[in-house]
């Protein structure tokens, strides 16, 4: 299940891109879910553990992926840590939900992320409420995020 804590959270990894840069291993990149996230969010194709084909930059290393993808992969590969997912755009929201379906994760958000129109299950840690739609999420998050 996906749990979200809105606002300042001292134990959260504030800069997931730096965490990723210093922690990732080859298998983080070649995993099927990671490949799919890289393709969808960055429009790039994993050729191998150290080479990714970017339509904009050409051949890049995993260190040159977008901050959003680095955050998604970190959330997925290190579910015991809490990452600041406000480094992600709304194009990452479906992947955060997907990871939350596969394993229990907690993220920190400092903004209102759009999780789309489909139903989902999210626990808001600030209030211990479970929500299933953006219509339920917005009033709660709106009271917390300023």
């Amino acid at each position: 299940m996906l749990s979200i804590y809105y606002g300042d959270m001292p134990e959260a990894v504030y800069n997931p891109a730096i965490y990723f840069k210093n922690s990732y291993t080859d298998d983080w990149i070649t995993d099927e879910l990671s490949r799919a996230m890289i393709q969808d969010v960055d429009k790039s194709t994993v050729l191998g553990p150290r080479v990714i084909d970017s339509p904009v930059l050409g051949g890049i290393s995993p260190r040159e992926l977008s901050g959003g993808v680095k955050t998604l992969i970190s959330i997925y590969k290190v579910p015991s840590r809490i990452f600041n997912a406000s480094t992600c755009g709304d194009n990452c929201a479906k992947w955060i939900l997907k990871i939350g379906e596969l394993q229990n994760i907690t993220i920190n958000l400092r903004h209102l992320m759009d999780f789309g129109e489909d139903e989902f299950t999210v626990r808001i840690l600030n209030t211990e409420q479970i929500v299933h739609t953006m219509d339920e999420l917005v009033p709660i998050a709106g009271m917390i995020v300023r």
Side-chain angles (χ1 to χ4, degrees), residues 54-90:
S54 165
V56 175
L57 303 171
I60 61 171
S61 77
R63 292 178 179 213
E64 296 167 284
L65 290 167
S66 70
V69 168
K70 290 176 190 174
T71 301
L72 288 173
I73 295 172
S74 296
I75 291 167
Y76 172 51
K77 289 299 184 175
V78 191
S80 61
R81 298 295 304 258
I82 300 168
F83 292 92
N84 170 20
S86 284
T87 60
C88 295
D90 288 341

Side-chain angles (χ1 to χ4, degrees), residues 2 92-102 115 120-122:
L2 170 60
C92 295
K94 72 178 182 182
W95 293 107
I96 292 171
L97 291 173
K98 175 70 173 171
I99 296 166
E101 290 172 5
L102 299 173
F115 288 101
F120 51 80
T121 301
V122 170

